[in-house]
């Protein structure tokens, strides 16, 4: 039960969407539909803008039009894939099999052929997020499992073989970070995932909890395992 609740919260957090589409009418329709789902949307009309944006902001999902004025969407996808594994869905101009195949071969998770209904797009995004979710919880990866043991039933986490004595929020913050090692999570994202009643005005309290959490980890082992990303948020170091 606790896992189900947590899973839903993570799905909710996975929704900072970058929309790359040069057709303003299509973009506005999509922005409206995506925001109605409670997702944040950043719209870029040009490929270069999108590249600049992903270099500076954590993005949970990318919707990418193949036909952009400044760069081919496939080339843009290849460039993004060199550094990021963000889930990505192509918007193709027509139901073109070649475009679909190329898109999937270069690492897109799905595609939508224009014209499509916003509802269809939303449901495809949901499916992709659900499908990818288990991969975003690699505490079972070998190197991490040596250092961390997580017992979600008992709400306990051990670090280097020692059981951590954590407050409720320290536990939940660490749980969120452990599910997505190396991923930079903003205070907003951490709060959305770890708090029952997220409150924007309280996001700075994340810093206080992280500080105490770090000290507890440091008492066991000297590594700086929670990294600060100035002006952005925090990530868990991968060993
Ligand atoms: Ca276009």
């Amino acid at each position: 039960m606790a896992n189900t609740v947590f899973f839903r919260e993570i799905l909710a957090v996975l929704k900072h969407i970058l929309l790359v589409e040069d057709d303003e009418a299509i973009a506005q329709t999509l922005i409206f539909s995506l925001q109605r789902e409670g997702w944040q949307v950043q719209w870029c009309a040009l490929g270069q803008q999108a590249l600049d944006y992903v270099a500076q902001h954590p993005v949970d999902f990318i919707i990418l039009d193949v036909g952009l004025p400044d760069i081919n969407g496939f080339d843009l996808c290849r460039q993004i894939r060199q550094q990021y594994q963000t889930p990505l869905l192509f918007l193709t101009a027509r139901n073109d099999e070649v475009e679909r195949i190329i898109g999937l071969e270069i690492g897109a998770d799905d595609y939508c052929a224009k014209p499509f209904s916003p509802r269809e797009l939303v449901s495809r995004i949901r499916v992709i997020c659900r499908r990818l979710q288990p991969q975003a919880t690699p505490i079972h990866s070998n190197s991490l499992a040596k250092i961390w043991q997580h017992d979600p039933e008992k709400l306990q986490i051990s670090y280097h073989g020692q059981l951590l004595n954590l407050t409720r929020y320290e536990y939940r913050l660490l749980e969120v970070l452990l599910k997505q090692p190396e991923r930079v999570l903003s205070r907003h994202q951490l709060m959305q995932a770890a708090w029952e009643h997220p409150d924007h005005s309280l996001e700075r309290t994340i810093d206080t909890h992280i500080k105490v959490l770090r000290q507890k980890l440091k008492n066991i082992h000297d590594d700086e395992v929670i990294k600060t990303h100035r002006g952005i948020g925090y990530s868990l170091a991968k060993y």
Side-chain angles (χ1 to χ4, degrees):
M1 182 61 190
N3 267 347
T4 315
V5 172
F6 184 74
F7 179 75
R8 244 188 267 129
E9 285 172 0
I10 280 291
L11 261 180
V13 105
L14 266 175
K15 296 299 161 40
H16 185 174
I17 297 179
L18 174 64
L19 170 63
V20 194
E21 166 62 74
D22 59 304
D23 184 321
E24 185 167 0
I26 294 176
Q28 293 302 345
T29 308
L30 287 182
I31 290 168
F32 176 79
S33 303
L34 297 167
Q35 286 179 340
R36 203 172 43 189
E37 297 298 313
W39 303 336
Q40 296 174 53
V41 187
Q42 173 68 35
W43 172 39
C44 293
L46 294 174
Q48 187 57 50
Q49 288 172 357
L51 279 175
D52 293 344
Y53 190 82
V54 292
Q56 288 169 26
H57 303 85
V59 170
D60 301 310
F61 199 98
I62 299 172
I63 301 170
L64 179 52
D65 178 31
V66 173
L68 294 167
D70 63 331
I71 180 171
N72 178 292
F74 294 139
D75 293 334
L76 182 58
C77 176
R78 286 192 192 96
Q79 287 189 45
I80 291 170
R81 278 285 172 269
Q82 285 173 8
Q83 282 187 279
Y84 308 98
Q85 289 306 313
T86 316
L88 187 147
L89 179 147
F90 270 121
L91 302 178
T92 62
R94 55 198 174 282
N95 212 343
D96 182 328
E97 196 183 28
V98 175
E99 283 202 343
R100 277 185 278 155
I101 291 169
I102 293 174
L104 296 176
E105 279 184 348
I106 63 176
D109 296 284
D110 204 354
Y111 61 88
C112 256
K114 294 177 184 174
F116 54 85
S117 74
R119 186 183 286 184
E120 181 193 354
L121 184 78
V122 165
S123 91
R124 280 174 188 266
I125 292 172
R126 287 189 181 284
V127 169
I128 293 168
C129 289
R130 259 184 234 123
R131 196 172 69 209
L132 295 179
Q133 190 55 38
Q135 294 169 13
T137 58
I139 194 167
H140 42 77
S141 86
N142 280 342
S143 54
L144 278 168
K146 277 182 203 157
I147 295 152
W148 301 98
Q149 288 86 42
H150 182 201
D151 185 340
E153 298 294 316
K154 292 183 183 165
L155 307 178
Q156 287 177 344
I157 298 173
S158 298
Y159 179 56
H160 287 282
Q162 289 193 44
L163 185 63
L164 290 161
N165 180 15
L166 302 173
T167 65
R168 173 185 179 76
Y169 287 125
E170 287 160 14
Y171 168 79
R172 299 200 65 175
L173 282 171
L174 187 53
E175 186 182 35
V176 174
L177 289 165
L178 274 169
K179 294 218 171 205
Q180 305 172 76
E182 283 192 318
R183 178 175 163 171
V184 181
L185 292 160
S186 67
R187 291 182 187 86
H188 178 74
Q189 289 173 314
L190 287 167
M191 180 159 273
Q192 290 292 324
W195 265 246
E196 283 91 358
H197 305 288
D199 181 341
H200 180 70
S201 66
L202 295 176
E203 281 172 13
R204 287 282 156 184
T205 63
I206 300 271
D207 297 347
T208 317
H209 291 291
I210 293 279
K211 193 176 168 190
V212 178
L213 184 53
R214 269 192 180 134
Q215 192 53 53
K216 289 183 180 177
L217 297 172
K218 210 157 196 162
N219 290 344
I220 294 174
H221 198 280
D222 213 23
D223 285 338
E224 195 67 72
V225 71
I226 299 177
K227 292 185 187 169
T228 302
H229 301 262
R230 253 170 204 279
I232 306 174
Y234 298 98
S235 70
L236 189 84
K238 200 170 187 169
Y239 286 77

